[in-house]
Amino acid sequence: MSDKRILLIIGGGIAAYKSLELIRELGRRGIACRCILTSGGSQFVTPLSVSALSGEKVFTELFDLDDEAEMGHIQLSRSADLVVVCPATADLMAKAVHGHANDLASTTLLATDTPVLMVPAMNVRMWQHAATERNVAQLRSDGVTVMEPDEGAMACGEFGPGRLPQVPAIVAEIERQLDGQGQSSGKGKGALEGTHCIVTAGPTREPLDPVRFLSNHSSGRQGYAIAGALAAEGARVTLVSGPVALEAPRGVDLVKVETARQMLKAVEDALPADVFVSVAAVADWRPARAATKKLKIKGAGSATPSMELAENPDILRTVSNKRKNRPGLVIGFAAETNDVEEHATAKLKRKGCDWIVANDVSGDVMGGTENEIALVTQGGIDRWPRMGKTDVARRLAQKIAEALGGSDDDVKLAAE
């Protein structure tokens, strides 16, 4: 990467401060960074701090004779291997869509013939507004790569999608763009174009009676994020989901189920597939006999009712050991509270799958917005730093694309 250079456009918004960390991380990887600081961005970071980290002059004004004499805006727009807009505000994206050229940033975007990567950050309502959705769709249609924002608490006090992705995820996407390995969402055909992926997500509910059930705390966020990331890479995705309060990602075929047995049937009905990702927190046990009427307390002193349990089908093992229609890549999740990697390695062998994504759920992972995982394969353990679940999903989708493309030597793919 030592010969690579990016042009970073820093938009206005509280997330602009993360651009300083991004510049530093890119510098550590030998990627040179020249910067345009918008007037909005300068409300949050200073030209001096940007220049100190990048080691380059910072450009701010379109009509600056010194800047134009040194490097005109046309040359500036074409002097890099990649143009990165971070944070990409709703305003900057709207200007790019409509071809506005009323400041240095928008003029540069209009004049460039260099690939463009936009990293959005804005209020959740702005991100979900119909105008922004149209603009993002148009940018992707025009060949601009637009990353999906993270979901979580925002500086404005609201919660939802719209947060700037974690810096490691942005750096990984920049490196992928510069390497030319695969294609990301919105930039022509995706790296998983022509593949079929099945993803399970959320909990299952096993009925005790008509109003009660056995379940767990799974929110489905990680599974839904993975389904969305795979779809963004061009895959046809079937998402088999237990009961959650989430909307299906765009471009995903959603199949809703309640119980573990229903989930297994839906997965088998969706086969054949190239990839199976078993993210769902499936109940291991169910009541052997569910009551047809609501169970009643019989009064003080009455005996505590007993319950006989029956074992649920093991969906991951069933799919892993299929002789017909086994997906080429079968991935399981191991949610553990202790000895995470040891349990995950044992599960990889016991289930017969190709990968295990292991995570510690002793904290706030279930229902939370972040995850810290270790990818366990036949070749060893790849430990990832703690990051947003959206970032985990994107990184996993990239790993899957590499494996299906034959570039991951650590993975042993089973023959169909």
Side-chain angles (χ1 to χ4, degrees):
M1 289 290 173
S2 60
D3 60 341
K4 299 295 185 180
R5 173 181 291 275
I6 72 164
L7 175 64
L8 176 63
I9 299 176
I10 304 173
I14 186 64
Y17 80 92
K18 288 191 176 180
S19 64
L20 301 179
E21 183 183 352
L22 177 62
I23 294 168
R24 183 175 58 203
E25 291 301 319
L26 291 172
R28 288 173 176 169
R29 289 162 172 77
I31 302 173
C33 191
R34 182 175 282 137
C35 301
I36 292 176
L37 182 61
T38 65
S39 59
S42 66
Q43 302 300 309
F44 300 93
V45 296
T46 67
L48 179 60
S49 59
V50 174
S51 178
L53 287 171
S54 67
E56 296 262 7
K57 175 182 174 62
V58 177
F59 297 86
T60 58
E61 299 293 337
L62 177 59
F63 300 109
D64 186 307
L65 292 179
D66 291 337
D67 287 350
E68 283 295 296
E70 179 182 338
M71 175 174 283
H73 63 275
I74 299 298
Q75 183 183 353
L76 183 64
S77 72
R78 302 174 185 175
S79 61
D81 299 291
L82 179 68
V83 177
V84 180
V85 185
C86 179
T89 61
D91 179 65
L92 264 175
M93 291 194 293
K95 285 182 177 181
V97 166
H98 297 288
H100 289 189
N102 56 1
D103 60 11
L104 181 57
S106 58
T107 301
T108 299
L109 289 171
L110 188 62
T112 191
D113 58 2
T114 301
V116 177
L117 168 66
M118 290 201 172
V119 190
M122 65 195 72
N123 171 268
V124 57
R125 303 302 174 198
M126 296 173 70
W127 174 251
Q128 293 178 336
H129 194 282
T132 303
E133 290 181 347
R134 287 195 301 269
N135 289 339
V136 170
Q138 185 60 54
L139 285 168
R140 288 172 171 164
S141 178
D142 292 342
V144 174
T145 300
V146 182
M147 292 183 70
E148 287 291 322
D150 273 357
E151 181 178 291
M154 301 182 178
C156 61
E158 294 193 85
F159 184 96
R163 287 179 52 167
L164 191 79
Q166 296 292 322
V167 169
I170 302 172
V171 172
E173 180 64 22
I174 290 172
E175 289 182 322
R176 193 160 70 96
Q177 294 280 328
L178 294 174
D179 277 340
Q181 295 177 353
Q183 296 174 307
S184 63
S185 60
K187 199 170 178 64
K189 290 186 176 181
L192 293 172
E193 187 80 20
T195 64
H196 178 209
C197 303
I198 302 173
V199 180
T200 64
T204 60
R205 289 179 178 175
E206 309 299 332
L208 296 170
D209 61 25
V211 297
R212 300 182 182 92
F213 53 82
L214 298 178
S215 191
N216 56 63
H217 295 294
S218 174
S219 66
R221 293 184 191 277
Q222 188 64 84
Y224 273 58
I226 290 170
L230 293 171
E233 290 289 354
R236 177 169 69 89
V237 179
T238 301
L239 174 59
V240 181
S241 175
V244 297
L246 299 172
E247 292 186 7
R250 292 192 191 109
V252 167
D253 297 325
L254 177 64
V255 181
K256 295 183 179 181
V257 298
E258 290 274 338
T259 69
R261 288 177 290 179
Q262 291 171 354
M263 183 169 282
L264 175 59
K265 183 179 186 304
V267 169
E268 291 182 323
D269 288 346
L271 292 171
D274 302 282
V275 181
F276 174 57
V277 189
S278 181
V279 194
V282 182
D284 295 322
W285 304 88
R286 68 179 186 274
R289 289 173 295 277
T292 57
K293 296 180 180 180
K294 181 181 176 182
L295 298 173
K296 296 288 188 180
I297 297 176
K298 296 181 179 179
S302 61
T304 302
S306 61
M307 180 192 307
E308 181 184 353
L309 297 176
E311 189 173 356
N312 268 328
D314 189 325
I315 299 174
L316 178 59
R317 178 184 290 173
T318 300
V319 175
S320 295
N321 290 280
K322 279 188 173 293
R323 294 186 177 182
K324 182 180 180 182
N325 285 337
R326 184 199 192 274
L329 182 58
V330 178
I331 304 169
F333 268 63
E336 305 291 349
T337 58
N338 63 286
D339 301 322
V340 175
E341 293 182 5
E342 292 83 352
H343 287 310
T345 302
K347 186 173 183 177
L348 181 72
K349 297 177 181 178
R350 187 171 69 253
K351 302 289 187 178
C353 55
D354 303 301
W355 298 353
I356 288 288
V357 180
N359 62 327
D360 187 339
V361 296
S362 59
D364 61 351
V365 170
M366 277 192 154
T369 61
E370 293 188 336
N371 215 342
E372 183 175 351
I373 63 100
L375 180 62
V376 181
T377 71
Q378 299 292 344
I381 301 175
D382 182 13
R383 300 172 182 88
W384 298 357
R386 187 176 179 87
M387 63 182 76
K389 289 183 176 180
T390 304
D391 297 324
V392 170
R394 279 195 290 259
R395 188 163 179 173
L396 184 62
Q398 292 169 12
K399 288 283 187 181
I400 290 171
E402 291 168 5
L404 295 186
S407 60
D408 191 344
D409 295 332
D410 293 333
V411 179
K412 178 182 177 183
L413 297 181
E416 292 189 18

